[in-house]
Amino acid sequence: MGGRFITLEGVDGAGKSTHLTWLVKQLRSRGHRVAQTREPGGTPLGEKLRELLLGEPMHLETEALLMFAARREHLERVIKPSLARGDWVVCDRFTDASFAYQGGGRGLSTEKLGILETWVQGDLQPDLTLLFDVPIDIAAQRMAGADRQLDRFEQEHADFHQRVRAAYLARAARMPERVKVIDSRQSLEDIHKQLELITSSV
Ligand code: TYD
């Protein structure tokens, strides 16, 4: 019984973190050993890079390179060893976020991102990606209700988030086998049913 690599994606405010917590509990109750992790971050160095990435203004290519530098470390120290042990890995964001935010949001070319993707992860891809999709006005309302300071990405304008959402959906349309779109406007109960169904066949 091998482990599986599952990633969760979506625009800021799509409710992904809530669903991630539920999913991890659910997988553990099915008897799987699950490593729960996140990007950018997931390692001591990655978490330091995360702080810089979320707080410090920088050139868009610097941003992309640091995202992939953190990812390299994460793959080597957490993701690959966990999968090799047969554990499941549930990761809050991965490379699809780079294509959506640095590509769609900031306008970095898909070609450059593709080079970094191949360099950093070779042919390793998630077995399953859950894309939580929600219209940007709803996502913005959810974020406005958060009682914490918004990070550098969350502070971006609505058109940035529109481009991020469009890039995510375009990627899902190109890779329907791996990327499953979940309408985040549904009730929690309906989302849970859908998650159970999707993850039972991965
Ligand atoms: P997020 O999961 O939103 O953290 P939190 O739920 O704690 O706010 O991730 C932080 C941000 O990082 C998010 O706005 C998207 C951004 N990001 C990228 O721009 N590119 C990437 O490759 C990754 C992994 C994240």
Side-chain angles (χ1 to χ4, degrees):
M1 274 240 321
R4 298 281 186 279
F5 181 23
I6 301 180
T7 60
L8 279 76
E9 300 282 358
V11 294
D12 292 283
K16 151 184 80 52
S17 308
T18 314
H19 304 311
L20 184 134
T21 309
W22 183 86
L23 177 66
V24 168
K25 258 176 81 178
Q26 173 69 15
L27 292 173
R28 285 184 179 144
S29 76
R30 273 160 48 188
H32 301 302
R33 280 196 313 263
V34 183
Q36 178 184 340
T37 186
R38 69 170 179 184
E39 291 207 351
T43 65
L45 176 60
E47 291 294 327
K48 287 185 183 166
L49 292 172
R50 178 186 178 93
E51 247 184 79
L52 291 172
L53 280 160
L54 298 196
E56 202 72 34
M58 60 184 77
H59 187 272
L60 70 98
E61 293 195 348
T62 310
E63 186 178 287
L65 289 163
L66 288 181
M67 289 289 177
F68 276 96
R71 184 162 297 137
R72 186 74 193 90
E73 200 68 15
H74 194 206
L75 277 162
E76 219 44 46
R77 293 187 183 277
V78 177
I79 299 175
K80 286 186 191 170
S82 300
L83 293 172
R85 279 194 299 270
D87 295 357
W88 287 48
V89 175
V90 176
C91 190
D92 191 346
R93 299 192 188 279
F94 192 62
T95 303
D96 296 307
S98 302
F99 280 90
Y101 283 80
Q102 282 65 56
R106 304 253 191 255
L108 184 62
S109 77
T110 306
E111 194 193 349
K112 282 185 176 166
L113 287 163
I115 292 167
L116 290 174
E117 180 185 32
T118 307
W119 181 5
V120 165
Q121 62 201 77
D123 57 9
L124 188 136
Q125 289 289 344
D127 296 297
L128 171 68
T129 297
L130 302 164
L131 172 56
F132 293 93
D133 182 56
V134 71
I136 295 305
D137 52 336
I138 296 180
Q141 279 169 23
R142 287 183 181 171
M143 266 193 296
D147 58 349
R148 59 182 175 82
Q149 223 197 328
L150 298 183
D151 66 42
R152 213 160 59 80
F153 296 98
E154 292 165 332
Q155 285 171 21
E156 287 287 346
H157 289 292
D159 52 349
F160 175 89
H161 292 289
Q162 293 286 10
R163 293 196 300 276
V164 170
R165 183 185 185 207
Y168 266 135
L169 290 173
R171 218 162 145 74
R174 248 181 290 122
M175 298 169 219
E177 286 299 306
R178 171 172 71 83
V179 185
K180 305 295 179 198
V181 182
I182 294 162
D183 185 343
S184 251
R185 290 170 303 183
Q186 299 175 97
S187 69
L188 271 185
E189 200 189 346
D190 286 342
I191 291 179
H192 291 169
K193 273 191 210 144
Q194 214 179 333
L195 289 179
E196 253 186 89
L197 195 71
I198 295 172
T199 56
S200 62
S201 60
V202 66

